[in-house]
């Protein structure tokens, strides 16, 4: 039997923050569309992270322009469930045509007619335009150096929930970006012995001279930077909104009992080896931190603003022993390390997208979200158009641009 086909002008895959923003702008332009989501709206915010996670930016910043968070101070940091609730409420305000529980399994370009054939768990769709709004956090990435042994509990940070989840013994966390640092702090406060493997990173101040770092990146034009600096395409950012928000300071973490080591090199015969780069990575993180303070001070002077001075922000703690005499290897059993948490980021999987939209390595080919395959668009990816593209407010602006591009193509078709 020939399957029943649902025809729609634009099909959006994914109903996280990107899909919700996309639907709003398509609705504004009266473009018929459907959003398909395999789970619930903003599911990653509900179940894809640890229990105590909050947004890393303040509530006034990490939101869409048209709606504030209710019951939360603008300077507060929103718990993850409240972010998911926000997305659901926002979508309901314009009756977003979202269908949950529908998995997209394959997309092919139609032959001899425009648009795409989309096979899903709920049947077949045909769409003239396709927006891939699945975001950058699709597949938890654990590097091949991970030891192949049943004696260790190993999990990705995406599957960590709380300290009670872990067995007795010390924990080694590989990766010191925002996730790794926050998990390390939580486990240390819970009484766990924690080893944190620290690689190169940027370390912005949580706030400076009375303004959050999100504000500083805005007035300094850094959120809207369209290109990265060479070598910083995938830089790790260590920032935290946990416990009311604070500046990440690796030297302070060491003082509080977290044992810092360099980048993890290899595992062999029950021993883990580290690069001798811990001090270098921390010092360069300090330099990044101080450079933002310098830029902020220059902005204050140039604009004649009467912001309170904060000289104590420039005080760098003394180097702890782990920096001056670093551990270059550890025997896992001898140090009672029973758990490894891999805070090593994510990869994307576009194998279901059987069109000419990705390169040979499977990475999206696009310019501001407009892909190399006519009619296919990407949304929610880091640096899609600017530094802020993968943040809630940034994805909203990118969605507006993509919706406008779809409208332009629709206008041309009216003149056939």
């Amino acid at each position: 039997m020939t399957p029943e086909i649902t025809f729609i002008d634009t099909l959006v895959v994914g109903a996280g923050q990107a899909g919700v923003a996309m639907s709003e702008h398509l609705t504004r332009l009266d473009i018929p569309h459907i959003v398909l989501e395999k789970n619930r709206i903003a599911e990653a915010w509900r179940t894809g992270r640890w229990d105590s996670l909050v947004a890393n930016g303040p509530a006034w910043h990490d939101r869409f322009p048209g709606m504030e968070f209710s019951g939360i101070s603008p300077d507060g940091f929103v718990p993850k469930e409240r972010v998911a609730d926000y997305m659901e409420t926002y979508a309901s305000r314009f009756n977003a045509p979202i269908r949950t529980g529908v998995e997209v399994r394959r997309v092919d370009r139609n032959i001899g007619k425009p648009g795409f054939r989309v096979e899903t768990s709920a049947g077949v769709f045909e769409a003239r335009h396709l927006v891939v709004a699945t975001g950058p956090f699709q597949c938890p990435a654990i590097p091949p150096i991970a030891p192949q042994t049943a004696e260790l509990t190993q999990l990705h940070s995406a599957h960590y929930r709380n300290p009670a989840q872990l067995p007795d013994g010390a924990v080694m966390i590989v990766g010191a970006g925002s996730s790794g640092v926050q998990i390390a702090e939580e486990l240390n406060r819970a009484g766990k012995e924690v080893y944190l493997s620290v690689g190169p990173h940027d370390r912005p101040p949580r706030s400076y001279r009375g303004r959050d770092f999100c504000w500083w990146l805005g007035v300094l034009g850094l959120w809207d930077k369209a290109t990265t600096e060479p070598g910083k395409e995938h830089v790790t950012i260590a920032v935290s909104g946990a416990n009311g928000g604070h500046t990440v300071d690796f030297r302070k973490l060491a003082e509080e009992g977290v044992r810092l080591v360099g980048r993890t090199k290899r595992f062999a015969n029950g021993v883990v080896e580290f690069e001798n780069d811990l001090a270098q990575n921390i010092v360069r993180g300090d330099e990044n931190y101080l450079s933002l303070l310098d830029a902020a001070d220059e902005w204050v002077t140039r604009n004649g603003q009467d912001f309170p001075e904060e000289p104590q922000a420039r005080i760098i703690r003394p180097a702890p022993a782990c920096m001056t005499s670093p551990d270059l290897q550890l025997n896992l059993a001898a140090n009672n390390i029973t758990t490894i948490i891999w805070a090593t980021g994510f990869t994307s999987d576009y194998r279901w997208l059987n069109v000419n939209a990705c390169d040979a390595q499977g990475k999206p080919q696009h310019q501001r979200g407009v892909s190399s395959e006519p009619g296919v668009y990407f949304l929610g990816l880091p640096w899609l158009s600017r530094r802020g593209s993968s943040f809630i407010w940034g994805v909203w602006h990118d969605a507006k641009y993509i919706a406008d591009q779809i409208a332009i193509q629709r206008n041309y078709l009216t003149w056939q």
Side-chain angles (χ1 to χ4, degrees):
M1 295 178 61
T2 302
E4 182 178 346
I5 298 176
T6 301
F7 294 90
I8 192 69
D9 183 274
T10 300
L11 188 69
V12 181
V13 183
Q17 59 204 40
V20 171
M22 192 73 241
S23 183
E24 178 186 6
H25 291 295
L26 292 172
T27 299
R28 172 180 56 84
L29 295 171
D30 294 323
I31 297 176
H33 68 283
I34 295 173
V35 183
L36 301 182
E37 167 57 52
K38 66 180 179 181
N39 297 304
R40 296 175 292 178
I41 295 173
E43 182 71 20
W45 280 103
R46 291 200 187 280
T47 59
R49 301 294 183 272
W50 62 96
D51 295 345
S52 63
L53 176 70
V54 299
N56 278 333
W60 66 261
H61 182 265
D62 283 6
R63 63 177 179 86
F64 292 146
M67 190 175 92
E68 297 181 356
F69 284 95
S70 62
I72 294 179
S73 166
D75 292 319
F77 298 91
V78 185
K80 64 185 184 70
E81 292 84 0
R82 292 291 304 276
V83 177
D85 291 343
Y86 175 95
M87 294 298 165
E88 286 191 342
T89 301
Y90 197 91
S92 70
R93 289 177 27 148
F94 57 91
N95 296 315
I98 298 174
R99 298 188 186 179
T100 58
V102 180
E103 181 181 10
V104 174
R105 294 171 173 168
R106 183 180 174 93
V107 174
D108 294 280
R109 173 167 282 286
N110 286 329
I111 298 175
K113 61 179 180 178
F116 305 91
R117 175 185 171 89
V118 183
E119 298 178 11
T120 81
S121 59
V124 176
F125 291 76
E126 284 202 6
R128 186 178 287 271
H129 307 100
L130 182 81
V131 180
V132 181
T134 50
F137 307 120
Q138 298 175 24
C139 305
I142 295 180
I145 63 171
Q148 303 300 310
T149 174
E151 296 176 358
L152 288 167
T153 295
Q154 298 188 65
L155 65 157
H156 191 273
S157 57
H159 303 127
Y160 167 77
R161 294 295 174 264
N162 55 62
Q165 168 192 15
L166 305 182
D168 292 340
V171 182
M172 177 178 161
I173 301 171
V174 181
S178 296
S179 296
V181 166
Q182 291 179 48
I183 293 171
E185 290 177 330
E186 177 170 277
L187 292 175
N188 186 54
R189 289 195 303 272
K192 286 281 191 183
E193 184 171 8
V194 179
Y195 296 81
L196 181 61
S197 178
V198 180
H201 59 272
D202 280 356
R203 186 175 74 86
R206 174 72 269 172
S207 65
Y208 181 58
R209 301 187 71 166
R211 299 293 188 276
D212 190 86
F213 96 95
C214 290
W215 188 89
W216 282 115
L217 293 189
V219 299
L220 293 172
L222 299 177
W223 280 128
D224 289 320
K225 283 185 63 176
T227 58
T228 63
E229 299 173 28
K232 287 202 169 186
E233 293 84 356
H234 306 289
V235 67
T236 295
I237 307 294
V239 66
S240 178
N243 302 307
H246 60 277
T247 297
V248 172
D249 186 339
F250 289 100
R251 298 165 187 260
K252 184 172 183 288
L253 271 178
E255 291 175 6
E256 293 172 349
V258 175
R259 298 183 61 175
L260 306 181
V261 292
R263 282 182 296 179
T264 302
K265 185 191 300 185
R266 68 174 67 91
F267 292 82
N269 302 317
V271 173
V272 55
E273 298 180 19
F274 306 103
E275 302 284 358
N276 188 14
D277 62 357
L278 177 64
Q280 171 185 299
N281 294 335
I282 291 178
V283 168
R284 288 183 177 176
D286 295 340
E287 291 171 352
N288 169 261
Y289 166 84
L290 292 170
S291 71
L292 187 55
L293 303 192
D294 290 343
D297 286 343
E298 182 182 347
W299 185 92
V300 169
T301 300
R302 186 172 64 250
N303 289 277
Q305 297 297 309
D306 186 24
F307 287 4
E309 295 188 3
E310 194 175 342
Q312 67 272 23
R314 293 184 174 275
I315 298 173
I316 301 296
R317 286 177 165 81
C322 61
M323 289 178 64
T324 56
S325 301
D327 289 322
L328 299 182
Q329 63 178 32
L330 289 171
N331 183 292
L332 298 173
N335 289 279
N336 196 30
I337 296 173
T338 59
T339 301
I340 300 176
I341 297 177
W342 297 93
T344 42
F346 296 77
T347 60
S348 299
D349 183 359
Y350 296 107
R351 287 176 294 180
W352 54 273
L353 192 58
N354 191 37
V355 296
N356 185 33
C358 297
D359 62 19
Q361 286 72 46
K363 296 181 179 179
Q365 299 182 119
H366 68 89
Q367 180 67 34
R368 289 194 66 179
V370 180
S371 88
S372 53
E373 176 71 66
V376 174
Y377 305 84
F378 290 97
L379 180 63
L381 301 179
W383 292 95
L384 190 88
S385 70
R386 69 194 82 190
R387 181 176 184 169
S389 284
S390 58
F391 291 79
I392 293 174
W393 66 270
V395 80
W396 188 91
H397 290 285
D398 284 344
K400 181 179 185 300
Y401 175 81
I402 291 173
D404 288 343
Q405 301 312 301
I406 293 173
I408 289 169
Q409 292 302 311
R410 281 169 50 85
N411 287 336
Y412 277 118
L413 291 173
T414 63
W415 293 97
Q416 290 189 87

